[in-house]
Amino acid sequence: MPAIITSSSLLSLFRIQPQQLGSDPIKASVRCSSSTMDPPKRVIVCGGGIIGVCTAYFLSKTGVAVTLVEKSSIACAASGKAGGFLALDWCDGGPVSSLARASFNLHRSLAEELNGAESYGYRPVTTLSLSIAETTSSASAQLSGKPSPIIPSWVDGPAKSPRIIGTAETTAQVHPQLFTKTLAGKAVEEYGLEVVIGKVESVEAAGGVAKAVVLLDGRRIEGDAVVLALGPWSGKFGLLRSIFRVSGLKAHSIVLEPKDAFSISAHALFLSYYAAQGGKPMDPEVYPRPTGEVYICGMSAEAEVPDDAEQIAAVPEAIVVLKSVARSVSSKLSEGEATVKAEQACFLPCTDDSVPVIGEVPGLKGCYVATGHSCWGILNGPATGAAMAELVLEGRAAIVDLTPFSPCRFLSA
């Protein structure tokens, strides 16, 4: 195992070229304390969602011994229940822009490397914005007149104002659970990743340096560095809660399997949905998948995050609305024409300033955090994991500037 891994070797491992990252110069990430520690030989990553798994994947790929600690199972929460939508430029103009662009390109590289089209449903999609009104019958009302040529034929509900908001060059999708499990499986089988099931209770330190994590059952796992990728449960972890707040946005979704599934094209739909009883329009999203399923999500609200992902239950009224959305969009998604495979909810981790937290924990060398990605966790998982690997091993990230994401920004508050 090499003692020092250079930025150029990491970029080669990540299979993304520097020119793909944009024209802005790469800057060193801001850290609250300088570290002169040797590169870690063993890293503990806490959290088996997309952020933790991507971090563990890229770290283990460099030859570092990595232990991934997960309370329940890989991708058991939002990373297994998200939509998996990817966009190149939808975050442009904000602090997440460079992260999103790097990650979109890294998704494409990973799909080539891991046969993503077959193993986890990676594919480019055309993305449309539509306005649609609720139908009250069991089947969608047919469009009156000649439909717009940009509306796919399977959308036979009363859709209006269609607009292309993403092309096959700028938008894509993955099946998030399959993607997360594929990365974890690859890391276990080929790079020696160890997965431990248990709840992380605390980080143990000596002389201001992280040395181990202690599990609820008393087990102690030693390491040279610790990464906390706890998603919405970051807000329940005392070390992090003392620095910043992470709240949970509860999002609902259903997964349908239409009888005529493979007549449904690769179009992602972002809707302005008008309920029959009136009121402001809602904004559900519809994602057909190459697996033959159709994923529909929406009905989000801030709520208290339970202690365990297994305790998360969908609100029945929200599921009723999503089923109404389905039949209003297409007769192929109505009751009798599609089987309901899942009615579910998950929590998205949100920060007070709507910017992820990625960096070294202030005052504790060798302890890092990556959380708060909200609805863009699946998109930004790869670049976050790659940047965390660089930060942990070299003290800076080259794939993306982590300055806007530093947890130090909360200290002045």
Side-chain angles (χ1 to χ4, degrees), residues 288-313:
R289 289 172 170 168
T291 55
E293 301 170 341
V294 177
Y295 174 96
I296 303 173
C297 65
M299 307 302 292
S300 303
E302 188 170 332
E304 178 65 26
V305 179
D307 291 334
D308 196 318
E310 303 299 327
Q311 298 172 342
I312 301 173

Side-chain angles (χ1 to χ4, degrees), residues 343-355:
E343 301 174 355
Q344 59 195 14
C346 63
F347 280 86
L348 309 178
C350 304
T351 61
D352 288 343
D353 60 5
S354 301
V355 176

Side-chain angles (χ1 to χ4, degrees), residues 45-54 56 68-80 176-177 180-181 184 193 195-198 200 227-231 233:
V45 178
C46 305
I50 185 69
I51 304 301
V53 167
C54 284
L68 178 67
V69 183
E70 161 57 38
K71 180 179 178 181
S72 180
S73 60
I74 299 297
C76 66
S79 297
Q177 185 182 72
T180 307
K181 289 187 173 182
L193 173 66
V195 178
V196 172
I197 301 301
V200 177
V227 178
L228 301 172
L230 303 176
W233 287 276

Side-chain angles (χ1 to χ4, degrees), residues 2 13 38 88-89 132 160-161 177 193 200 203 213 238 272 329 338 342 393 396:
L13 284 169
D38 292 331
L88 172 68
D89 53 6
I132 199 159
K160 298 179 181 179
S161 306
Q177 185 182 72
L193 173 66
V200 177
V203 176
V213 298
S272 293
V329 167
L393 296 177
R396 66 181 297 273

Side-chain angles (χ1 to χ4, degrees), residues 228-250 302-306 347-358 369-375 405 407 409-410:
L228 301 172
L230 303 176
W233 287 276
S234 301
K236 291 180 174 290
F237 199 75
L239 173 63
L240 302 179
R241 189 174 62 242
S242 66
I243 304 169
F244 57 86
R245 190 177 83 98
V246 173
S247 59
L249 185 68
K250 189 174 184 178
E302 188 170 332
E304 178 65 26
V305 179
F347 280 86
L348 309 178
C350 304
T351 61
D352 288 343
D353 60 5
S354 301
V355 176
V357 184
I358 309 169
V369 59
T371 188
H373 291 72
S374 186
C375 62
F405 313 113
R409 71 186 190 266
F410 297 101

Side-chain angles (χ1 to χ4, degrees), residues 83-86 90 117 121-130 149-155 163-174 258 260-270 286-295 329 332:
F85 179 74
L86 314 175
W90 286 26
Y122 175 88
R123 68 176 177 181
V125 296
T126 298
T127 305
L128 304 179
S129 170
L130 296 174
I150 70 171
I151 298 179
S153 59
W154 58 272
V155 179
R163 183 166 58 94
I164 296 175
I165 56 177
T167 68
E169 293 299 316
T170 62
T171 54
Q173 70 178 150
V174 296
D260 192 16
F262 295 100
S263 67
I264 297 181
S265 57
H267 285 79
L269 308 180
F270 282 71
V286 180
Y287 304 127
R289 289 172 170 168
T291 55
E293 301 170 341
V294 177
Y295 174 96
V329 167
K332 296 178 184 293

